[in-house]
Amino acid sequence: MKIQWFPGHMTKTRRQMQDKLKLVDAVCEILDARIPLASRNPELSALLGSKPRLILLNRADQADPAITEQWIRHFKESGVRAFSADCQGGAGVKRFVPEVRELLRERWDAYAQKGQAGRVMRVMVAGVPNVGKSSLINRLTGRRAAPVEDRPGVTRGQQWYKLDDGMELLDTPGVLWPKFEDERVGLLLAFTGAIKDNILDVEALAMRLMETLRDMYPEALTARYNLAPEGEGYALLTAAGRRRGFLVSGGEVDTERMARILLDEFRGGKLGRVTLERP
């Protein structure tokens, strides 16, 4: 199942981000804690150059906590500051400003020595679609300043937001890259909702998700759908749909309905705390 999604506005966004980089002191790259590697745009590193960077692993409330800690250590060992949070619920978000201040501590001290202690620090917030950039900004500003919906492509323009801590944030639209060299990356992004469902075969996607959970978190399938985690994706999807009573005329299972339910419940954290990539 090969997945590609790179609408035209992403090329424009990438160009705008490059232009705005000279205006910011640092970049906060938001990743999905359930798929930290797949949700990391490989083009961003080249785009940022030597710009200071902070990684925020969002949706930590839905990810396996032990593996999230492994990822944080992994990033720190590679020289990048990282922490986890739940931008929707708010847990961990208060660490953002202190983390940015520590990241830019030398620059902040240099400004203070020049008598510019009150200088505003500007941070670009970047990431793939639907990863939680606007949710973070709304939590930090204490109001619904940025539009939030549980689907990709909501934020289309770049917008500045002021915080009370001498900091300004630049919200940017979600950006993917033109081609997923690894088929698995496209699948993981689709599982978590970073790619629009209306360009996907949701039944085929749900079957692959069933097989992924069967291999990595079989107990989640048993607990949520009361089924033995055995067999291929179609059999698992059909069994789950039958247990939910999703039947059509002739007693056939409505697998499309079950597919959408599975994706919604996985994305909503109803299958438990799941991380699909290991460092």
Side-chain angles (χ1 to χ4, degrees), residues 4-226:
Q4 299 293 338
W5 186 51
F6 191 73
H9 74 269
M10 289 189 182
T11 299
K12 179 181 177 182
T13 296
R14 186 171 54 181
R15 188 167 57 248
Q16 290 175 337
M17 287 174 65
Q18 192 166 18
D19 291 340
K20 292 288 177 62
L21 274 172
K22 60 181 176 290
L23 303 178
V24 302
D25 300 287
V27 174
C28 175
E29 183 182 5
I30 302 186
L31 307 181
D32 190 319
R34 299 167 297 179
I35 54 166
L37 193 58
S39 61
R40 195 174 194 195
N41 189 333
E43 294 187 343
L44 194 58
S45 291
L47 194 67
L48 296 184
S50 59
K51 187 73 67 174
R53 185 192 320 186
L54 173 68
I55 284 178
L56 190 163
L57 289 164
N58 187 30
R59 298 196 176 98
D61 58 311
Q62 297 181 26
D64 187 318
I67 301 175
T68 297
E69 286 304 314
Q70 291 176 22
W71 276 108
I72 290 173
R73 287 197 299 272
H74 168 80
F75 287 124
K76 288 182 176 178
E77 287 168 2
S78 66
V80 182
R81 294 188 68 86
F83 73 106
S84 63
D86 166 19
C87 295
Q88 187 74 29
V93 172
K94 288 183 178 180
R95 290 183 57 189
F96 176 84
V97 171
E99 288 283 352
V100 172
R101 286 185 178 276
E102 185 59 29
L103 176 70
L104 298 174
R105 181 167 52 84
E106 291 184 5
R107 185 171 301 187
W108 223 299
D109 291 346
Y111 286 150
Q113 290 174 5
K114 295 176 183 178
Q116 301 175 358
R119 179 166 175 161
V120 172
M121 289 292 178
R122 295 183 172 90
V123 181
M124 177 185 289
V125 180
V128 300
N130 200 34
V131 79
K133 299 180 294 296
S134 296
S135 294
L136 170 68
I137 287 170
N138 288 341
R139 279 287 170 183
L140 291 170
T141 59
R143 56 193 176 89
R144 195 175 177 83
V148 176
E149 291 186 35
D150 190 18
R151 59 185 177 88
V154 175
T155 301
R156 284 299 182 94
Q158 300 188 354
Q159 181 70 45
W160 288 99
Y161 298 95
K162 288 186 177 182
L163 304 186
D164 295 332
D165 304 89
M167 199 173 293
E168 291 183 356
L169 305 181
L170 177 61
D171 189 16
T172 61
V175 180
L176 295 171
W177 51 107
K179 185 178 180 181
F180 305 137
E181 299 294 342
D182 185 348
E183 175 187 337
R184 183 173 162 275
V185 170
L187 281 171
L188 293 175
L189 288 168
F191 289 162
T192 55
I195 296 174
K196 285 188 174 181
D197 284 342
N198 60 11
I199 71 159
L200 302 169
D201 180 338
V202 293
E203 290 178 80
L205 182 64
M207 291 175 201
R208 293 297 298 270
L209 177 55
M210 277 289 193
E211 292 171 352
T212 301
L213 293 170
R214 174 202 65 196
D215 296 340
M216 300 185 73
Y217 290 92
E219 69 281 0
L221 294 180
T222 302
R224 187 68 187 175
Y225 303 115
N226 190 29

